[in-house]
């Protein structure tokens, strides 16, 4: 009996994959989960706008990854040609070889800077993606709100049109004055103008949304709740500041090393080969060297303070969003209660009108109050939704990090 053994070959991780695995910032970005309910209208909009994304920030990330991979090999010896023309007219060609022995941490700083540059580009990509999703959702919410206002305007036009017909009959019968009829016709024209404006707003928003997405989103409906809170993720602005801090510290390390002498071994290979040790620096030492070193060290402190400032600004913005969302949702609930009360008043006046106890204009006045309250309720509801979307964008949770 012949037995066969299969060997499982594990692919060697690339340099970019190593950076992703070792970077706390990138791992934090990958671990983010979207707060948009799956299979919801919001999720469909987000998927469509991301599918059509040109992802210019991704090109920046790719370039940063290539720079990091190149910098990861900066500790290896460097070689290059050296061609000279002697006084006798002959050409001498040698190969220069140089190996850094001690550079005050310059090469390490260059590698750290390149890795931090990848982290900065990764945060920028996630920020750009979340901003695009928010833009798409804002357009969708604008369209949904306009559709709801359009439906209210249609209902109001129908009801006011009925009152206008009643008043026309009363004027024809000599029971009422024509001035009330003119007032009702003016109100009807205003409602129809609002109806047209709402329709145009919805059409424009959907057209703009379709222009930035793949496929037609005109049939998408629904506004589910977005469960966002201030503690579900670290704000992207803070992560950006932290990545830039790491990069600034690495740059300071490179600048500091450039002010001090280093030790290299090198020489030429070829005719008249030579080898030796060299002590050199990019700049000469002088009376200002100490101040330059202090200035470089100060950049580290400045970078740390920028992180603290970004954290404070983000926390203030989150607290602001929390307060505004709670306020708008409370106002929307109060508006719903006032709408219900206005409807009860309207029904009472309508019953009194049918019993001959009220005039047509009395009922129209109460109806206008009811209609305005409905519009206020709709506006407050969608303002709260927009605030939730804005808060989710600040936290960077409008798209799954692993999918970005």
């Amino acid at each position: 009996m012949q037995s066969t053994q299969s060997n499982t070959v594990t692919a060697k991780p690339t340099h970019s994959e190593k950076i992703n695995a070792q970077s706390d910032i990138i791992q934090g970005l990958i671990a983010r989960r979207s707060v948009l309910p799956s299979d919801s209208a919001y999720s469909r909009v987000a998927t469509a706008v991301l599918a059509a994304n040109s992802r210019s920030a991704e090109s920046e990330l790719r370039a940063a990854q290539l720079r990091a991979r190149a910098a990861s090999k900066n500790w290896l010896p460097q070689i290059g040609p050296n061609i000279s023309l002697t006084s006798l007219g002959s050409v001498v060609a040698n190969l220069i070889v140089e190996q850094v022995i001690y550079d005050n941490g310059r090469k390490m700083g260059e590698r750290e800077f390149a890795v931090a540059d990848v982290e900065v580009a990764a945060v920028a990509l996630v920020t750009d993606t979340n901003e695009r999703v928010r833009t798409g959702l804002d357009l969708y919410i604008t369209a949904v709100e306009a559709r709801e206002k359009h439906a209210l305007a249609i209902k109001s036009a129908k009801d006011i049109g009925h009152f206008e017909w009643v008043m026309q009959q009363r004027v024809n019968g000599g029971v009422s004055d024509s001035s009330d009829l003119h007032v009702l016709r003016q109100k009807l024209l205003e409602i129809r103008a609002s109806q047209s404006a709402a329709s145009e707003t919805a059409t424009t928003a959907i057209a703009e949304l379709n222009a930035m997405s793949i496929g037609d989103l005109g049939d998408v409906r629904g506004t589910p709740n977005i469960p966002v809170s201030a503690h579900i993720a670290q704000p992207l602005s803070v992560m950006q500041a932290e990545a830039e801090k790491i990069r600034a510290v690495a740059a300071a390390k490179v600048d500091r090393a450039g002010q001090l002498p280093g030790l290299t071994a090198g020489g030429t290979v070829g005719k008249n080969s030579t080898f030796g040790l060299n002590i050199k620096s990019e700049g000469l030492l002088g009376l200002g060297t100490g101040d330059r070193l202090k200035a470089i060290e100060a950049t580290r402190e400045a970078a740390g303070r920028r992180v603290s400032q970004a954290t404070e600004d983000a926390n203030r913005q989150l607290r602001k969003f929390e307060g505004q969302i709670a306020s708008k949702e409370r106002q929307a609930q109060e508006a719903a209660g006032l709408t219900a009360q206005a409807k009860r008043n309207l029904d009472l006046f309508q019953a009194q009108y049918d019993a001959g106890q009220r005039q047509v204009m009395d009922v129209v006045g109460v109806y206008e109050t009811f209609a305005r309250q409905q519009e206020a309720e709709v506006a407050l509801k969608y303002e709260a939704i927009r605030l939730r979307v804005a808060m989710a964008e600040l936290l960077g949770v409008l798209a799954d990090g692993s999918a970005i």
Side-chain angles (χ1 to χ4, degrees):
M1 180 176 180
Q2 184 178 3
S3 61
T4 61
Q5 181 179 1
S6 61
N7 297 325
T8 302
V9 179
T10 303
K12 185 178 180 180
T14 64
H15 184 261
S16 297
E17 291 172 343
K18 291 180 181 178
I19 293 177
N20 293 347
Q22 296 171 1
S23 170
D24 292 337
I25 290 178
I26 294 180
Q27 287 300 312
L29 294 174
I30 294 175
R32 289 168 184 264
R33 292 294 175 264
S34 173
V35 296
L36 303 179
S38 59
D39 299 327
S40 65
Y42 296 148
S43 179
R44 287 184 59 186
V45 171
T47 301
V49 298
L50 289 181
N53 190 7
S54 60
R55 294 174 68 88
S56 58
E58 185 178 5
S59 300
E60 296 293 336
L61 176 59
R62 178 58 179 166
Q65 290 173 335
L66 292 174
R67 290 193 296 268
R69 187 169 69 180
S72 68
K73 302 178 178 64
N74 66 353
W75 58 272
L76 295 172
Q78 295 181 330
I79 61 175
N82 180 26
I83 303 175
S84 63
L85 181 65
T86 68
S87 59
L88 299 177
S90 61
V91 177
V92 178
N94 292 321
L95 188 65
I96 298 177
V97 181
E98 184 178 85
Q99 173 65 55
V100 175
I101 298 177
Y102 180 72
D103 63 354
N104 301 286
R106 179 183 179 87
K107 296 295 184 181
M108 181 180 294
E110 290 176 349
R111 293 194 294 270
E112 292 174 355
F113 180 90
V115 172
D117 204 31
V118 174
E119 293 176 335
V120 171
V123 178
L125 175 60
V126 174
T127 302
D128 179 77
T129 301
N130 277 267
E131 181 181 354
R132 181 176 180 84
V133 174
R134 180 192 173 179
T135 301
L137 290 177
D138 281 343
L139 289 171
Y140 171 72
I141 293 168
T142 298
V144 174
E145 180 182 9
R147 287 169 179 165
E148 192 163 342
K149 289 182 176 180
H150 179 259
L152 291 178
I154 291 177
K155 181 66 168 55
S156 296
K158 179 180 178 182
D159 293 337
I160 295 297
H162 171 71
F163 291 132
E164 187 264 346
W165 178 84
V166 172
M167 184 60 68
Q168 178 68 62
Q169 302 307 311
R170 292 175 64 88
V171 170
N172 293 340
V175 178
S176 297
D177 187 81
S178 61
S179 60
D180 290 338
L181 178 60
H182 294 321
V183 171
L184 283 175
R185 286 176 176 173
Q186 177 64 30
K187 293 181 183 297
L188 189 58
L189 290 175
E190 292 174 357
I191 293 172
R192 287 171 177 168
S194 299
Q195 176 183 337
S196 299
S199 177
E200 291 168 357
T201 299
T203 301
T204 302
I206 289 297
E208 190 174 350
L209 179 59
N210 288 337
M212 64 177 297
S213 63
I214 182 170
D216 187 2
L217 297 175
D219 61 338
V220 179
R221 296 291 188 275
T223 54
N225 181 52
I226 300 177
V228 62
S229 63
H231 306 292
I232 60 176
Q234 187 180 37
L236 289 178
S237 58
V238 177
M239 298 194 73
Q240 183 81 21
E242 289 180 347
E244 290 175 350
K245 173 191 173 181
I246 298 172
R247 187 172 64 178
V249 170
K253 185 182 294 185
V254 174
D255 291 342
R256 182 182 182 279
Q259 303 296 322
L260 302 173
L263 179 63
T264 62
T268 59
V269 179
K271 188 175 181 180
N272 301 324
S273 299
T274 60
F275 291 93
L277 297 176
N278 297 314
I279 298 177
K280 63 179 182 178
S281 64
E282 292 185 358
L284 299 178
L285 299 178
L287 296 177
T289 301
D291 291 333
R292 287 197 297 271
L293 292 176
K294 291 179 181 179
I296 292 171
E297 290 299 321
T299 60
R300 300 170 182 253
E301 181 181 357
R305 293 191 176 188
R306 282 195 292 270
V307 174
S308 299
Q309 186 62 51
T311 302
E312 178 184 330
D313 293 343
N315 287 335
R316 287 177 54 196
Q317 189 65 38
L318 288 173
R319 300 291 89 76
K320 179 180 178 181
F321 278 137
E322 286 180 331
Q324 289 179 330
I325 291 171
S327 175
K328 294 299 181 182
E329 291 181 345
R330 176 186 56 78
Q331 293 176 35
Q333 291 178 354
E334 292 176 351
L338 293 174
T339 300
Q341 181 61 47
K343 183 63 170 64
R344 288 192 292 269
N345 293 339
L346 176 61
D347 293 340
L348 176 61
F349 270 64
Q350 183 68 49
Q352 292 175 346
Y353 168 75
D354 293 338
Q357 300 174 356
R358 295 284 183 180
Q359 298 295 321
V360 175
M361 297 307 293
D362 294 336
V363 182
V364 170
V366 177
Y367 184 89
E368 286 183 310
T369 300
F370 169 65
R372 284 195 301 269
Q373 197 58 52
Q374 281 184 308
E375 292 181 359
E377 179 185 352
V378 170
L380 289 168
K381 178 176 69 175
Y382 288 103
E383 284 178 16
I385 294 175
R386 288 191 181 90
L387 288 170
R388 285 186 172 272
V389 172
M391 186 175 180
E393 182 203 10
L394 177 64
L395 294 168
V397 289
L398 287 177
D400 290 336
S402 57
I404 299 176

